[in-house]
Amino acid sequence: MIDRYRNLFNEQQWFESALCWTVVQPLDEAITADDLLRQLNGGRDPEERTMAYPREEAAEEDFPVLFVRQGKGAWGFLDFSQGFATPDHILAELSKESRVWMTTWHFNGGYTILYAADGEVRAQMRDFIFDEHAVQEGDPRILAEFRSMLGSLDSEDYRGKRSAALAFIEASTGMGIESEWLDVEEAPVIILDNWNED
């Protein structure tokens, strides 16, 4: 699975610059994508828009621009604009009725992987691509397999470590990122506007 994501990065080199991938597994089947998006947007309905060239147009937005995908028992939200990390307080709130996984990075770093459940962030690791700077908080058992994946990679294999984060979330949730999502035209996107408010 790591190699599949390596191939994705080879095809989409911009992908390494900035992204936030959040996978939500609702505990109640009645929870819809609209419900989750409202929660991600701090309780307000986000803007829906069709972008002719989403990857190019998203770079000019000041807020997260998301592709939304449904999987089996999970929803994936990919911010491909600037790698805005979903704030912890929103993830914690979202996790009251769901299990939530997130990984993110951007041009200034911010390499984070996180798991939230029962209304709180249960585990997270920051700066995971740098062996000597990685900081883990929460229950160490939750990210044990991810640490094992990192340990199997060369210390300077940064692409491999990003790939491992995506592979770990896919292994945990069954929800992965597909390359055909990324080079689309006239695609529907969601623009969030409320992430900086507590």
Side-chain angles (χ1 to χ4, degrees), residues 47 86 89 110 152 170-171 191:
E47 177 186 352
T86 310
H89 70 277
S152 72
E170 182 172 349
I191 302 175

Side-chain angles (χ1 to χ4, degrees), residues 4-159:
R4 186 168 71 77
Y5 282 107
R6 280 187 196 277
N7 292 336
L8 177 65
F9 286 124
N10 285 335
E11 296 168 15
Q12 309 284 342
Q13 293 180 5
W14 61 272
F15 209 49
E16 288 182 296
S17 305
L19 72 73
C20 179
W21 174 234
T22 304
V23 176
V24 182
Q25 297 174 296
L27 301 177
D28 180 346
E29 291 181 4
I31 295 173
T32 67
D34 288 340
D35 297 329
L36 299 175
L37 286 166
R38 198 171 300 108
Q39 286 185 284
L40 282 169
N41 202 42
R44 297 177 9 199
D45 288 328
E47 177 186 352
E48 297 181 38
R49 191 189 304 174
T50 297
M51 288 185 171
Y53 302 100
R55 249 185 43 214
E56 295 169 23
E57 293 176 48
E60 303 189 8
E61 293 291 330
D62 291 328
F63 297 102
V65 178
L66 306 181
F67 281 137
V68 179
R69 291 291 183 266
Q70 182 177 15
K72 187 175 181 180
W75 290 91
F77 303 95
L78 177 65
D79 166 41
F80 56 97
S81 51
Q82 298 181 38
F84 292 101
T86 310
D88 288 2
H89 70 277
I90 289 180
L91 294 172
E93 186 66 26
L94 189 59
S95 77
K96 289 179 178 177
E97 298 181 88
S98 303
R99 288 186 292 267
V100 182
W101 296 90
M102 182 200 74
T103 191
T104 186
W105 53 81
H106 49 75
F107 67 93
N108 282 333
Y111 307 97
T112 300
I113 190 164
L114 176 150
Y115 173 72
D118 303 318
E120 65 179 294
V121 174
R122 311 285 297 205
Q124 81 176 297
M125 184 184 295
R126 292 187 309 274
D127 293 328
F128 64 78
I129 70 167
F130 304 113
D131 295 346
E132 65 280 8
H133 297 297
V135 176
Q136 184 170 337
E137 300 169 350
D139 184 343
R141 296 170 298 180
I142 294 170
L143 296 177
E145 183 60 32
F146 178 60
R147 286 193 313 276
S148 176
M149 293 168 89
L150 293 177
S152 72
L153 299 167
D154 184 270
S155 64
E156 294 186 6
D157 183 2
Y158 303 131
R159 177 173 284 182

